[in-house]
Coordinates of all heavy atoms in Angstrom, one line a residue:
V29 N 0.8 -1.2 0.0 CA 0.0 0.0 0.0 C 0.9 1.2 0.0 O 0.6 2.2 -0.7 CB -1.0 0.0 1.2 CG1 -1.7 1.3 1.3 CG2 -1.9 -1.2 1.1
G30 N 2.0 1.2 0.8 CA 2.9 2.3 0.8 C 3.5 2.6 -0.6 O 3.7 3.8 -0.9
M31 N 3.8 1.6 -1.3 CA 4.4 1.7 -2.6 C 3.4 2.4 -3.6 O 3.7 3.2 -4.4 CB 4.9 0.4 -3.2 CG 6.1 -0.1 -2.4 SD 6.6 -1.8 -2.9 CE 7.3 -1.4 -4.5
L32 N 2.1 2.0 -3.4 CA 1.0 2.6 -4.3 C 0.9 4.0 -4.0 O 0.7 4.9 -4.9 CB -0.3 1.8 -4.0 CG -0.5 0.5 -4.7 CD1 -1.8 -0.1 -4.3 CD2 -0.5 0.7 -6.2
M33 N 0.9 4.4 -2.7 CA 0.8 5.8 -2.3 C 2.0 6.6 -2.8 O 1.8 7.7 -3.3 CB 0.7 5.9 -0.7 CG -0.6 5.3 -0.2 SD -0.7 5.2 1.6 CE -1.2 6.8 2.0
G34 N 3.2 6.0 -2.6 CA 4.4 6.7 -3.1 C 4.3 6.9 -4.6 O 4.6 8.0 -5.1
A35 N 3.9 5.9 -5.4 CA 3.8 6.0 -6.8 C 2.8 7.1 -7.2 O 3.0 7.9 -8.2 CB 3.5 4.7 -7.5
S36 N 1.7 7.1 -6.5 CA 0.6 8.1 -6.7 C 1.2 9.5 -6.6 O 0.9 10.4 -7.4 CB -0.5 7.9 -5.8 OG -1.5 8.9 -5.9
I37 N 1.9 9.7 -5.5 CA 2.5 11.1 -5.2 C 3.5 11.5 -6.3 O 3.5 12.6 -6.8 CB 3.1 11.1 -3.8 CG1 2.0 11.0 -2.8 CG2 3.9 12.4 -3.6 CD1 2.5 10.7 -1.4
R38 N 4.4 10.5 -6.6 CA 5.5 10.8 -7.6 C 5.0 11.1 -9.0 O 5.5 11.9 -9.7 CB 6.5 9.7 -7.6 CG 7.4 9.6 -6.4 CD 8.6 8.7 -6.6 NE 8.1 7.3 -7.0 CZ 7.8 6.4 -6.1 NH1 7.9 6.6 -4.8 NH2 7.4 5.2 -6.5
T39 N 3.9 10.4 -9.4 CA 3.4 10.5 -10.7 C 2.3 11.5 -10.8 O 1.7 11.7 -11.9 CB 3.0 9.2 -11.3 OG1 1.9 8.6 -10.5 CG2 4.1 8.2 -11.3
D40 N 1.9 12.1 -9.7 CA 0.7 13.0 -9.7 C -0.6 12.3 -10.1 O -1.5 13.0 -10.6 CB 1.0 14.2 -10.6 CG 0.8 15.5 -9.8 OD1 0.5 15.4 -8.6 OD2 0.8 16.6 -10.4
A41 N -0.6 11.0 -10.0 CA -1.8 10.2 -10.3 C -2.7 10.2 -9.1 O -2.2 10.0 -8.0 CB -1.4 8.8 -10.8
C42 N -4.0 10.3 -9.3 CA -4.9 10.2 -8.2 C -5.4 8.8 -8.1 O -6.2 8.3 -9.0 CB -6.1 11.2 -8.5 SG -7.1 11.4 -7.1
I43 N -5.0 8.1 -7.1 CA -5.5 6.7 -6.9 C -6.4 6.7 -5.6 O -6.0 7.1 -4.6 CB -4.2 5.8 -6.6 CG1 -3.3 5.8 -7.8 CG2 -4.7 4.4 -6.3 CD1 -2.1 5.0 -7.6
E44 N -7.6 6.2 -5.8 CA -8.5 6.1 -4.7 C -8.2 4.9 -3.9 O -8.3 3.8 -4.4 CB -9.9 6.1 -5.2 CG -11.0 6.1 -4.1 CD -12.4 6.2 -4.6 OE1 -12.6 6.7 -5.7 OE2 -13.3 5.7 -3.9
L45 N -7.9 5.1 -2.6 CA -7.7 3.9 -1.7 C -8.8 3.8 -0.8 O -8.9 4.5 0.3 CB -6.3 4.1 -1.0 CG -5.1 4.1 -1.8 CD1 -3.9 4.4 -0.9 CD2 -4.9 2.7 -2.4
D46 N -9.8 3.0 -1.2 CA -11.0 2.8 -0.3 C -10.7 1.6 0.6 O -11.2 0.5 0.4 CB -12.2 2.5 -1.2 CG -13.5 2.5 -0.5 OD1 -13.5 3.0 0.7 OD2 -14.5 2.0 -1.0
L47 N -9.9 1.9 1.6 CA -9.5 0.9 2.6 C -10.3 1.0 3.8 O -10.7 2.1 4.2 CB -8.0 1.0 2.9 CG -7.0 0.9 1.7 CD1 -5.6 1.2 2.2 CD2 -7.1 -0.5 1.1
P48 N -10.6 -0.1 4.5 CA -11.4 -0.1 5.7 C -10.6 0.6 6.8 O -9.4 0.7 6.8 CB -11.6 -1.6 6.0 CG -10.5 -2.3 5.3 CD -10.2 -1.5 4.1
G49 N -11.4 1.0 7.8 CA -10.9 1.7 9.0 C -9.8 0.9 9.7 O -8.8 1.4 10.2
L50 N -9.9 -0.4 9.6 CA -8.9 -1.3 10.2 C -7.5 -1.0 9.7 O -6.5 -1.0 10.4 CB -9.3 -2.8 9.9 CG -8.4 -3.9 10.4 CD1 -8.5 -4.0 11.9 CD2 -8.7 -5.2 9.7
V51 N -7.4 -0.8 8.4 CA -6.1 -0.5 7.7 C -5.6 0.9 8.1 O -4.5 1.1 8.5 CB -6.2 -0.7 6.2 CG1 -5.0 -0.3 5.5 CG2 -6.6 -2.1 5.8
W52 N -6.5 1.9 8.0 CA -6.1 3.2 8.3 C -5.7 3.4 9.7 O -4.7 4.1 10.0 CB -7.3 4.2 7.9 CG -7.5 4.3 6.4 CD1 -8.6 3.9 5.8 CD2 -6.6 4.8 5.5 NE1 -8.4 4.1 4.4 CE2 -7.2 4.7 4.2 CE3 -5.3 5.3 5.5 CZ2 -6.6 5.1 3.0 CZ3 -4.7 5.7 4.3 CH2 -5.3 5.6 3.1
K53 N -6.4 2.7 10.6 CA -6.0 2.9 12.0 C -4.6 2.3 12.3 O -3.8 2.9 13.1 CB -7.0 2.1 12.9 CG -8.2 2.9 13.2 CD -9.1 2.2 14.2 CE -10.3 3.0 14.5 NZ -11.2 2.4 15.6
Q54 N -4.2 1.3 11.6 CA -2.9 0.7 11.7 C -1.8 1.7 11.1 O -0.7 1.8 11.7 CB -2.8 -0.7 11.0 CG -3.6 -1.7 11.8 CD -3.5 -3.1 11.1 OE1 -3.0 -3.3 10.1 NE2 -4.0 -4.1 11.8
F55 N -2.2 2.4 10.1 CA -1.3 3.4 9.5 C -0.9 4.5 10.5 O 0.2 5.0 10.6 CB -1.8 4.0 8.2 CG -1.7 3.2 7.0 CD1 -2.7 3.3 6.0 CD2 -0.7 2.3 6.8 CE1 -2.6 2.5 4.8 CE2 -0.6 1.5 5.7 CZ -1.5 1.6 4.7
V56 N -2.0 4.9 11.2 CA -1.8 6.1 12.1 C -1.5 5.7 13.5 O -1.4 6.6 14.4 CB -3.0 7.1 12.0 CG1 -3.1 7.6 10.6 CG2 -4.3 6.4 12.5
G57 N -1.4 4.4 13.8 CA -1.1 3.9 15.1 C -2.2 3.9 16.1 O -2.0 3.8 17.3
E58 N -3.4 3.9 15.6 CA -4.6 3.8 16.5 C -4.9 2.4 16.8 O -4.6 1.5 16.0 CB -5.8 4.5 15.9 CG -5.7 6.0 15.9 CD -7.0 6.6 15.4 OE1 -8.1 6.0 15.5 OE2 -7.0 7.8 15.0
E59 N -5.5 2.1 17.9 CA -5.9 0.8 18.3 C -7.1 0.3 17.5 O -8.1 1.0 17.4 CB -6.2 0.7 19.8 CG -6.4 -0.7 20.3 CD -6.6 -0.7 21.8 OE1 -6.0 0.1 22.5 OE2 -7.3 -1.6 22.3
C60 N -7.0 -0.9 17.0 CA -8.1 -1.5 16.3 C -9.0 -2.2 17.3 O -8.6 -2.8 18.3 CB -7.7 -2.5 15.3 SG -6.7 -1.7 14.0
V61 N -10.3 -2.1 17.1 CA -11.3 -2.7 18.0 C -12.1 -3.7 17.2 O -12.0 -3.8 16.0 CB -12.2 -1.6 18.6 CG1 -11.5 -0.7 19.5 CG2 -13.0 -0.8 17.6
R62 N -12.8 -4.5 17.9 CA -13.6 -5.6 17.3 C -14.5 -5.1 16.2 O -14.7 -5.7 15.2 CB -14.4 -6.3 18.4 CG -15.1 -7.5 17.8 CD -16.0 -8.3 18.8 NE -15.5 -8.2 20.2 CZ -16.2 -8.2 21.3 NH1 -17.5 -8.4 21.2 NH2 -15.7 -8.2 22.5
E63 N -15.1 -3.9 16.4 CA -16.0 -3.4 15.3 C -15.3 -3.1 14.0 O -15.9 -3.2 13.0 CB -16.7 -2.1 15.9 CG -17.7 -2.3 16.9 CD -17.1 -2.6 18.3 OE1 -15.9 -2.3 18.5 OE2 -17.8 -3.1 19.2
D64 N -14.0 -2.8 14.1 CA -13.2 -2.5 12.9 C -13.1 -3.8 12.1 O -13.2 -3.8 10.9 CB -11.8 -2.0 13.2 CG -11.8 -0.6 13.9 OD1 -12.7 0.2 13.5 OD2 -11.0 -0.4 14.8
V65 N -12.8 -4.9 12.8 CA -12.7 -6.2 12.1 C -14.1 -6.7 11.6 O -14.2 -7.2 10.5 CB -12.1 -7.3 13.0 CG1 -12.0 -8.6 12.3 CG2 -10.7 -6.8 13.5
A66 N -15.1 -6.4 12.4 CA -16.5 -6.8 12.0 C -16.9 -6.1 10.8 O -17.7 -6.7 10.0 CB -17.4 -6.5 13.2
A67 N -16.4 -4.9 10.6 CA -16.8 -4.1 9.3 C -16.2 -4.8 8.1 O -16.7 -4.6 7.0 CB -16.3 -2.7 9.5
V68 N -15.2 -5.6 8.3 CA -14.5 -6.3 7.1 C -15.0 -7.7 7.0 O -15.1 -8.2 5.9 CB -13.0 -6.3 7.3 CG1 -12.3 -7.0 6.3 CG2 -12.4 -4.8 7.4
D69 N -15.3 -8.3 8.1 CA -15.7 -9.8 8.1 C -16.9 -10.0 9.0 O -16.7 -10.3 10.2 CB -14.5 -10.6 8.5 CG -14.6 -12.1 8.3 OD1 -15.8 -12.5 8.1 OD2 -13.6 -12.8 8.2
E70 N -18.1 -9.9 8.4 CA -19.3 -10.1 9.2 C -19.4 -11.6 9.7 O -19.9 -11.8 10.8 CB -20.5 -9.8 8.4 CG -20.6 -8.3 8.1 CD -21.8 -8.0 7.2 OE1 -22.8 -8.8 7.2 OE2 -21.8 -6.9 6.6
V71 N -19.0 -12.5 9.0 CA -19.1 -13.9 9.4 C -18.2 -14.2 10.6 O -18.7 -14.8 11.6 CB -18.7 -14.9 8.2 CG1 -18.6 -16.3 8.7 CG2 -19.6 -14.7 7.1
W72 N -17.0 -13.6 10.6 CA -16.2 -13.7 11.8 C -16.8 -13.1 13.0 O -16.8 -13.7 14.1 CB -14.8 -13.1 11.5 CG -13.9 -13.0 12.7 CD1 -13.1 -14.0 13.2 CD2 -13.8 -12.0 13.7 NE1 -12.5 -13.6 14.3 CE2 -12.9 -12.4 14.7 CE3 -14.4 -10.7 13.8 CZ2 -12.6 -11.6 15.7 CZ3 -14.1 -9.9 14.9 CH2 -13.2 -10.3 15.8
N73 N -17.4 -11.9 12.8 CA -18.0 -11.2 13.9 C -19.2 -12.0 14.5 O -19.3 -12.2 15.7 CB -18.5 -9.9 13.5 CG -19.1 -9.0 14.6 OD1 -18.4 -8.9 15.6 ND2 -20.2 -8.5 14.5
K74 N -20.0 -12.6 13.7 CA -21.1 -13.5 14.2 C -20.6 -14.7 14.9 O -21.1 -15.1 15.9 CB -22.0 -13.9 13.0 CG -22.9 -12.8 12.5 CD -23.8 -13.3 11.3 CE -24.6 -12.2 10.8 NZ -25.5 -12.6 9.7
D75 N -19.6 -15.3 14.4 CA -19.0 -16.4 15.0 C -18.4 -16.1 16.4 O -18.6 -16.8 17.3 CB -17.9 -17.0 14.1 CG -17.6 -18.5 14.4 OD1 -18.5 -19.2 14.8 OD2 -16.4 -18.9 14.1
L76 N -17.7 -15.0 16.4 CA -17.1 -14.5 17.7 C -18.2 -14.2 18.7 O -18.1 -14.6 19.9 CB -16.3 -13.3 17.5 CG -15.7 -12.7 18.7 CD1 -14.7 -13.6 19.4 CD2 -15.0 -11.3 18.4
Q77 N -19.3 -13.6 18.3 CA -20.4 -13.3 19.2 C -21.0 -14.5 19.8 O -21.3 -14.6 21.0 CB -21.5 -12.4 18.5 CG -21.0 -11.0 18.1 CD -20.5 -10.2 19.3 OE1 -21.0 -10.3 20.4 NE2 -19.4 -9.5 19.1
G78 N -21.1 -15.6 18.9 CA -21.6 -16.8 19.4 C -20.7 -17.5 20.4 O -21.1 -18.0 21.5
C79 N -19.4 -17.4 20.2 CA -18.4 -17.9 21.1 C -18.4 -17.2 22.4 O -18.3 -17.8 23.5 CB -17.0 -17.9 20.5 SG -16.7 -19.0 19.1
L80 N -18.5 -15.9 22.4 CA -18.5 -15.1 23.6 C -19.8 -15.3 24.4 O -19.8 -15.1 25.6 CB -18.3 -13.6 23.3 CG -17.0 -13.2 22.7 CD1 -17.0 -11.7 22.3 CD2 -15.8 -13.5 23.7
G81 N -20.8 -15.8 23.7 CA -22.1 -16.0 24.4 C -22.2 -17.3 25.1 O -23.1 -17.6 25.9
A82 N -21.2 -18.2 24.9 CA -21.2 -19.5 25.6 C -21.0 -19.3 27.1 O -20.0 -18.7 27.5 CB -20.1 -20.4 25.0
K83 N -22.0 -19.8 27.8 CA -21.9 -19.6 29.3 C -21.4 -20.8 30.0 O -21.1 -20.7 31.2 CB -23.4 -19.3 29.8 CG -24.0 -18.1 29.2 CD -23.4 -16.9 29.6 CE -24.1 -15.7 29.0 NZ -23.3 -14.6 28.7
S84 N -21.2 -21.9 29.3 CA -20.7 -23.1 30.0 C -19.8 -23.9 29.1 O -19.8 -23.7 27.8 CB -21.8 -24.0 30.5 OG -22.5 -24.5 29.4
K85 N -19.0 -24.8 29.6 CA -18.2 -25.7 28.8 C -19.1 -26.5 27.8 O -18.7 -26.7 26.7 CB -17.4 -26.6 29.7 CG -16.5 -27.6 29.0 CD -15.7 -28.4 30.0 CE -14.8 -29.4 29.2 NZ -14.1 -30.3 30.1
E86 N -20.3 -26.9 28.3 CA -21.2 -27.7 27.5 C -21.7 -26.9 26.3 O -21.8 -27.4 25.2 CB -22.4 -28.2 28.3 CG -22.0 -29.3 29.4 CD -21.3 -28.7 30.6 OE1 -21.5 -27.5 30.9 OE2 -20.5 -29.5 31.2
E87 N -22.0 -25.6 26.5 CA -22.4 -24.8 25.4 C -21.3 -24.6 24.4 O -21.6 -24.7 23.2 CB -22.8 -23.4 25.9 CG -24.3 -23.2 26.3 CD -24.6 -21.8 26.6 OE1 -24.6 -21.0 25.7 OE2 -24.9 -21.5 27.8
W88 N -20.1 -24.4 24.9 CA -18.9 -24.3 24.0 C -18.7 -25.5 23.2 O -18.6 -25.5 22.0 CB -17.7 -23.9 24.8 CG -16.5 -24.0 24.0 CD1 -15.5 -25.0 23.9 CD2 -16.0 -22.9 23.1 NE1 -14.6 -24.6 23.0 CE2 -14.8 -23.4 22.5 CE3 -16.5 -21.7 22.7 CZ2 -14.1 -22.6 21.6 CZ3 -15.8 -20.9 21.8 CH2 -14.6 -21.4 21.3
E89 N -18.8 -26.7 23.8 CA -18.6 -27.9 23.1 C -19.7 -28.2 22.1 O -19.5 -28.8 21.1 CB -18.4 -29.1 24.1 CG -17.1 -29.0 24.9 CD -17.0 -30.0 26.0 OE1 -18.0 -30.7 26.3 OE2 -15.8 -30.1 26.5
G90 N -20.9 -27.8 22.5 CA -22.0 -27.9 21.6 C -21.9 -27.1 20.3 O -22.6 -27.4 19.3
M91 N -21.1 -26.1 20.3 CA -20.9 -25.3 19.1 C -19.9 -26.0 18.1 O -19.9 -25.6 16.9 CB -20.2 -23.9 19.5 CG -21.1 -23.0 20.2 SD -20.2 -21.5 20.5 CE -21.2 -20.8 21.8
G92 N -19.2 -27.0 18.6 CA -18.3 -27.7 17.7 C -17.1 -27.0 17.3 O -16.4 -27.2 16.3
K93 N -16.7 -26.0 18.2 CA -15.5 -25.2 17.9 C -14.3 -25.9 18.5 O -14.3 -26.6 19.5 CB -15.6 -23.8 18.6 CG -16.8 -23.0 18.2 CD -16.6 -22.6 16.7 CE -17.9 -21.8 16.3 NZ -18.0 -21.7 14.9
K94 N -13.2 -25.8 17.8 CA -11.9 -26.3 18.2 C -10.8 -25.3 18.1 O -10.8 -24.5 17.1 CB -11.5 -27.5 17.4 CG -12.3 -28.8 17.6 CD -12.0 -29.9 16.7 CE -10.5 -30.3 16.9 NZ -10.2 -31.5 16.1
W95 N -9.9 -25.2 19.0 CA -8.8 -24.3 18.9 C -7.6 -25.1 18.3 O -7.2 -26.1 18.8 CB -8.4 -23.8 20.3 CG -9.4 -22.9 20.9 CD1 -10.3 -23.2 21.9 CD2 -9.6 -21.5 20.6 NE1 -11.0 -22.2 22.2 CE2 -10.7 -21.1 21.5 CE3 -9.0 -20.6 19.7 CZ2 -11.1 -19.8 21.4 CZ3 -9.5 -19.3 19.7 CH2 -10.6 -18.9 20.6
V96 N -7.1 -24.6 17.2 CA -6.0 -25.3 16.5 C -5.0 -24.3 16.0 O -5.3 -23.1 16.0 CB -6.5 -26.1 15.2 CG1 -7.5 -27.2 15.6 CG2 -7.2 -25.2 14.2
V97 N -3.8 -24.8 15.8 CA -2.7 -24.0 15.3 C -2.0 -24.8 14.2 O -1.9 -26.0 14.3 CB -1.8 -23.5 16.4 CG1 -1.1 -24.7 17.0 CG2 -0.8 -22.5 15.9
K98 N -1.5 -24.1 13.2 CA -0.7 -24.8 12.2 C 0.8 -24.7 12.6 O 1.3 -23.6 12.9 CB -0.9 -24.1 10.8 CG -0.1 -24.9 9.7 CD -0.3 -24.1 8.4 CE -1.3 -24.9 7.6 NZ -1.4 -24.4 6.2
S99 N 1.5 -25.8 12.7 CA 2.9 -25.8 13.1 C 3.8 -25.4 12.0 O 3.3 -25.3 10.8 CB 3.3 -27.2 13.6 OG 3.5 -28.1 12.5
F100 N 5.0 -25.1 12.2 CA 5.9 -24.7 11.2 C 6.2 -25.8 10.1 O 6.6 -25.5 9.0 CB 7.3 -24.2 11.8 CG 8.1 -25.3 12.3 CD1 9.1 -25.9 11.6 CD2 8.0 -25.6 13.7 CE1 9.9 -26.9 12.1 CE2 8.8 -26.6 14.2 CZ 9.7 -27.2 13.5
T101 N 5.8 -27.0 10.5 CA 5.9 -28.1 9.5 C 4.7 -28.3 8.7 O 4.6 -29.1 7.8 CB 6.2 -29.5 10.3 OG1 5.1 -29.8 11.1 CG2 7.6 -29.4 11.0
G102 N 3.6 -27.5 9.1 CA 2.4 -27.6 8.3 C 1.3 -28.5 9.0 O 0.2 -28.6 8.5
R103 N 1.7 -29.2 10.1 CA 0.7 -30.0 10.7 C -0.3 -29.1 11.5 O 0.1 -28.1 12.1 CB 1.4 -30.9 11.7 CG 2.2 -32.0 11.0 CD 2.9 -33.0 12.0 NE 2.1 -33.3 13.2 CZ 2.7 -33.4 14.4 NH1 3.9 -33.3 14.6 NH2 1.9 -33.6 15.5
I104 N -1.5 -29.6 11.6 CA -2.6 -28.9 12.4 C -2.6 -29.5 13.8 O -2.8 -30.7 13.9 CB -3.9 -29.0 11.7 CG1 -3.9 -28.4 10.3 CG2 -5.0 -28.3 12.6 CD1 -3.6 -26.9 10.3
L105 N -2.4 -28.7 14.8 CA -2.3 -29.2 16.2 C -3.5 -28.7 17.0 O -3.8 -27.5 16.9 CB -1.0 -28.8 16.8 CG 0.3 -29.2 16.1 CD1 1.5 -28.6 16.7 CD2 0.4 -30.7 16.1
D106 N -4.1 -29.6 17.7 CA -5.2 -29.1 18.6 C -4.6 -28.4 19.8 O -3.6 -28.9 20.4 CB -6.0 -30.3 19.1 CG -6.8 -31.0 18.0 OD1 -7.2 -30.2 17.1 OD2 -7.2 -32.2 18.1
L107 N -5.2 -27.3 20.2 CA -4.8 -26.6 21.4 C -5.9 -27.0 22.5 O -7.0 -26.7 22.4 CB -4.9 -25.1 21.2 CG -3.8 -24.6 20.2 CD1 -4.0 -23.1 20.1 CD2 -2.4 -24.9 20.7
V108 N -5.4 -27.8 23.4 CA -6.3 -28.3 24.5 C -6.0 -27.7 25.8 O -4.9 -27.5 26.2 CB -6.3 -29.8 24.6 CG1 -7.3 -30.4 25.5 CG2 -6.4 -30.5 23.2

């Protein structure tokens, strides 16, 4: 993005950068909040709200969610 902005300035070309607040906040050093991410990814936001709404271990397990991480070798590992 910085290269695009630099090229725009050097060539006097007007490039419209319609980037979400999430990106602009990172440029200016402001803290990003959940709403910024939700504005970009509604599915993630709905999923997160469901996870945060789980009041018990049984509710969480009933959602079928698993915490996993990809190792440097490419294997998917369960976080338990």
